[in-house]
Amino acid sequence: MELLSTNVCFNGEHRRYRHHSAALDCEMEFAVFLPPAAIGSESRTVPVLYWLSGLTCTDQNFMQKAGALKRAAELGLAIVCPDTSPRGLGLPGEDDSYDFGSGAGFYINATRQPWAPHYRMYDYVVKEIPQLVESNLPVTEERSISGHSMGGHGALIAALKNPGHYQSVSAFAPIAHPSACPWGKKAFEGYLGSDTAAWEEWDTTLLIPGAKERLPLLIDQGTADNFLEEQLYPEALADACEKVHHPIHLHMRRGYDHSYFFIASFIDEHLDHHARALGLLR
């Protein structure tokens, strides 16, 4: 881990690191916020919230725009933000569109060439980054996960596919049924191929019936989100949860859009949700 930068923030510390990823076979950057409890004179290890960002984002969007660090500092909660894809590999077509390739890894493990050797973002965020962070920074193995849009999709599938791995999960405006929407179809066909049966293990709505753990889903969705009808499908996820009695708290936020203004408005509620599950708040 190469330390790229550090900033004091709310008496904690925001850091950016670079490292070589074995899962992705390339250099990657990520951000960490360590609360005062983890770096002070009486420091202790603290639990972690992993945040997965959306299309076109890097690790920096959430840290700079979400307004999460003050509450995280108060709670004693670390936050880790990975990037959204490998970068600069020179693969054909990797920079041709905003919704595929660079900035659009979709948190799945690609099986099609030329993506398969590098676009394994699921393994990266579920396995490699937690191992790296927990081995090198003052954090515990107690973890939760959240994300926005494509990252909300990533957070939900990570939790559903790994019972016991996370203490809690939440999402803002997640791509809840990617097999049925243009963003998801493009990504899945490009990374996985045209056999739609191979898509099912990466689709939250389709994973719900067979989930081995009924971890409650906390989801916020803006009613003025311009991607709501075509891309996000929260109603399909809610229906799937209702059929198998999977707990879901879906908040439709009147007038809110898809932006970080929306996230910043409700991020404290999500942080408190995770803090309760991690034993930081009663």
Side-chain angles (χ1 to χ4, degrees):
M1 289 171 54
E2 175 191 357
L3 182 63
L4 300 177
S5 64
T6 179
N7 307 92
V8 175
C9 188
F10 298 108
N11 293 318
E13 192 172 354
H14 170 269
R15 302 176 183 175
R16 296 192 70 245
Y17 288 99
R18 179 186 295 125
H19 74 111
H20 180 80
S21 167
L24 308 179
D25 192 22
C26 66
E27 297 295 302
M28 293 292 288
E29 297 179 1
F30 67 97
V32 179
F33 174 71
L34 294 173
I39 61 174
S41 59
E42 299 180 4
S43 61
R44 64 180 189 274
T45 55
V46 297
V48 183
L49 173 66
Y50 290 87
W51 173 270
L52 307 185
S53 294
L55 288 167
T56 75
C57 291
T58 69
D59 63 275
Q60 299 182 68
N61 296 74
F62 178 84
M63 290 297 194
Q64 296 181 16
K65 295 181 178 181
L69 303 189
K70 181 179 181 180
R71 186 59 179 152
E74 294 168 349
L75 292 168
L77 178 65
I79 302 176
V80 172
C81 295
D83 204 346
T84 51
S85 77
R87 304 276 176 175
L89 298 176
L91 300 178
E94 70 178 354
D95 296 320
D96 287 354
S97 59
Y98 80 95
D99 54 358
F100 187 81
S102 296
F106 259 82
Y107 305 105
I108 65 176
N109 288 338
T111 56
R112 287 190 68 193
Q113 298 296 333
W115 313 100
H118 302 287
Y119 275 66
R120 303 184 61 82
M121 287 298 294
Y122 173 80
D123 281 354
Y124 181 65
V125 301
V126 172
K127 301 174 183 178
E128 185 172 13
I129 277 286
Q131 291 172 357
L132 186 69
V133 168
E134 290 164 12
S135 297
N136 290 278
L137 296 173
V139 302
T140 70
E141 295 181 359
E142 296 289 296
R143 60 186 82 87
S144 294
I145 192 164
S146 186
H148 171 230
S149 194
M150 178 185 72
H153 142 77
L156 293 171
I157 64 168
L160 289 168
K161 289 165 69 69
N162 294 276
H165 193 67
Y166 302 101
Q167 298 303 305
S168 54
V169 60
S170 73
F172 288 84
I175 304 173
H177 192 10
S179 296
C181 76
W183 279 341
K185 289 177 179 178
K186 180 176 180 177
F188 285 2
E189 184 164 4
Y191 295 135
L192 304 174
S194 57
D195 180 5
T196 57
W199 302 2
E200 294 179 6
E201 67 170 307
W202 308 108
D203 187 311
T204 299
T205 296
L206 301 180
L207 287 171
I208 286 292
K212 303 298 184 184
E213 179 185 36
R214 297 297 176 195
L215 200 63
L217 310 183
L218 171 62
I219 297 175
D220 274 274
Q221 173 64 61
T223 62
D225 189 324
N226 58 329
F227 302 115
L228 177 56
E229 296 299 326
E230 185 178 19
Q231 303 282 10
L232 304 180
Y233 290 11
E235 71 285 351
L237 176 57
D239 288 346
C241 289
E242 183 178 2
K243 288 176 181 176
V244 295
H245 307 291
H246 191 114
I248 181 172
H249 305 284
L250 173 60
H251 301 144
M252 300 301 295
R253 302 295 189 177
R254 183 172 179 81
Y256 284 89
D257 58 20
H258 201 71
S259 71
Y260 268 85
F261 294 107
F262 163 54
I263 295 171
S265 299
F266 302 104
I267 190 64
D268 283 3
E269 294 180 23
H270 283 242
L271 295 177
D272 287 354
H273 166 75
H274 297 297
R276 282 189 287 271
L278 293 164
L280 299 173
L281 190 66
R282 295 183 180 180

